[in-house]
Each structure stands twice: as structure tokens, then as C-alpha cells.
Amino acid sequence: MEPAAGVARLGSDNKNRCLMKLDFLTHGERGLAGLRLQRCHVSSETDRLTDVLLCQPTFLEPVPCCSVTQESLRDGFATSVPQALVQHRALQAALERAGVRCHFLEPDPAMPDMCFTRDALVTTPWGLFALNPAAGHRQAEAVHALKALRGIGAPLAACVQRGTAEGGDIAIVKPGLVIIGCSGERTNEDGAESVAEVFRGQGWDVIVYRFDQHFLHLDTQFAMVGDGLALACTDVLSDAFLADLARFGIETIAVSYKEARSLGCNMLSLGDRRLLASEDNDRVIAELRTRGYQVETLALDQFTRCGGGVHCLTMPLARVAA
Ligand SMILES: NC(=O)NCCC[C@H](N)C(=O)O
């Protein structure tokens, strides 16, 4: 069967099953506002970011589906949508100042966590990979995002065939190496294996890292910030995983458990040693600056108190090697 227009070829039967399920996406759906996507591929989380997917937090709610949000609610936290919108606009402005094109999904009242665009799908070197969020209130997000992205010309490369998988659990470390987090709750064993198959099929090395569901996603404990450099909650990550990182030549900056709870690992690399981070992580940010990284900080407490920082709020659509 020939792939539908705009669908990348990955040479797997799985892909054809995926296409049949999502066939409707190629026909007449409303796209994102305006901008056509020139390219859609990510081979490394630290290449220069050119295009990103965002969704304004118009309907943000503190859904008690992760331990950070539960703690915030216990402390009496309530979201303020006007404040969240201001913070999100500042994130957009920082991205645009850095030369990144921002593409926006339409917010939907049925999707209170849609502003965390990271989780519904991931961009691979071959195009979009449609995921299957586990959290009940997030399950519609993948189809919602795909409809819009297909409308601006993004190719669909693959989709999860079995189990559940969320984008915060997938780190495209460098060409040829992906790490998949598996807590059993958000990304489960079948979902992790389904994602791993696609990368292995392209000759990539895959590390599957299993952790306790308290930590929600891999990107609350681990994120690449530069070539061969990661922020890592070494208090929590297993010795075997840390040894795997060393084996693949990845150095880590240690982030404490408390820093990770306030999304201290959850930074976004813009490439060229530039980073966006939420404020209130002074020690980690100072360490990065000492190493020559340019770190711009943003007030994002409306989101961090709901369990997600800059990394979770952004889904890179295209990065180019510097
Ligand atoms: N990648 C991420 O860690 N995303 C944060 C998602 C937070 C949201 N409240 C959730 O529990 O799904």
C-alpha cells in the first residue's frame, strides 16, 4: 500500500496499520493558524530548534493526576488562567526572540493539560510519531494534535501500536540513541516496546529506563541540555541507568530530588548552548552558566505546580544540526 501524501516511509507493516487507523487525518481537517511547516524532524534534543508546538493554557486545570499536582492541591494551590496565559505568552516571546517559529494548537475545554504539548506525540528524524497517552483526560490529545499538524504538512511516520506511551518519556539523545522512560503508568511496557521497535528498526540503540510512577515522566528526572551533557536527578536514577549514560558518553549534572520536584531537570535546549528554564532553580542554572550555557529563565509556576516545566510545555517539530 502506498503511504498517504505526507506520510514518511519507515518500511514497516506497523506503519500501514497505523495509517489505516489515522487515515481520516489526511482529509480536510483544519490546520494550525497559518504557518506551513517547512520541515519536521528531530535527530537530537540539542540541535538548533526552529519550530515548536505550543498550546495556550486557556483551559488549564490542576487535575490531580500526578504527585506534584496532588501536592500543590494539598497546599491549597489553584490555577489562575489569566496568570497562566501571561506566563505562556512570555514563553512564546522567549522562543520567538531565539528565532523559533511557534505553531499553536487550538485549546479545548475537554483537554485541561493540553498546554503540555510534549506528551501527545514526538517528532522523530522521520516525521511525527503519534503516541497514546495513558491519563484518561489526556487520551484525546494525540488525535487533536495530529489533525492540526497534518493540516500544516507534517508527515506522520509511525504511531504506537500497543500499550500507552507519552512524549515526556522519550528522549532523543543524539542520532542513533533514544531513551524511553517506563513507569508502567504513563508509558507502560507494551508502549515502551512499541516505541523502541520503531527506533530499533532504523538501527538506533534504545535504552528503556524503568522507574516508579511517583516521578511521572523521564523528563522530570532527566533531560539533555547539550551535546553529551544531561541534567539528571542522580538521587533517584538507578546506578544501572547512570552507568548506561556513561557508556554512551553522556556526562551528567546532578540535580537533587527537591530541585527535580520543582522541574529543575525540565529545561528546553534551543541548541547552540542556549536553554530555557523555569526560575527558582538557581543552583542548577548557575552551574550551567559556569559551563558556558546561556540560560534564560521564565516565571512558570502556574505550570510547574501542575507537574510540567518548559520541556513539557514544548514539542519540538524541527531541529537542525548547527
Ligand atoms: N512531560 C511532562 O512531564 N509533562 C507534564 C504533564 C503534567 C500533567 N499534569 C500530567 O500529569 O499529565
Side-chain angles (χ1 to χ4, degrees), residues 206-228:
V206 177
I207 299 173
V208 176
Y209 175 58
R210 295 175 178 81
F211 58 86
D212 191 274
Q213 45 187 254
H214 171 75
F215 297 101
L216 179 63
H217 288 134
L218 178 69
D219 69 354
T220 67
Q221 312 156 67
F222 172 89
M224 293 304 296
V225 287
D227 284 350

Side-chain angles (χ1 to χ4, degrees), residues 65-66 69 113 116 119 138 168 186 216-217 219-220 306-308 312:
C65 57
C66 66
T69 312
D113 269 333
F116 299 113
D119 297 320
R138 304 203 62 182
R186 296 306 187 90
L216 179 63
H217 288 134
D219 69 354
T220 67
C306 293
C312 307

Side-chain angles (χ1 to χ4, degrees), residues 193-244:
E193 194 44 40
S194 182
V195 174
E197 273 168 13
V198 169
F199 283 89
R200 283 198 199 106
Q202 300 301 309
W204 282 45
D205 286 315
V206 177
I207 299 173
V208 176
Y209 175 58
R210 295 175 178 81
F211 58 86
D212 191 274
Q213 45 187 254
H214 171 75
F215 297 101
L216 179 63
H217 288 134
L218 178 69
D219 69 354
T220 67
Q221 312 156 67
F222 172 89
M224 293 304 296
V225 287
D227 284 350
L229 183 66
L231 298 179
C233 186
T234 48
D235 286 354
V236 159
L237 295 167
S238 73
D239 290 344
F241 179 64
L242 294 171
D244 274 343

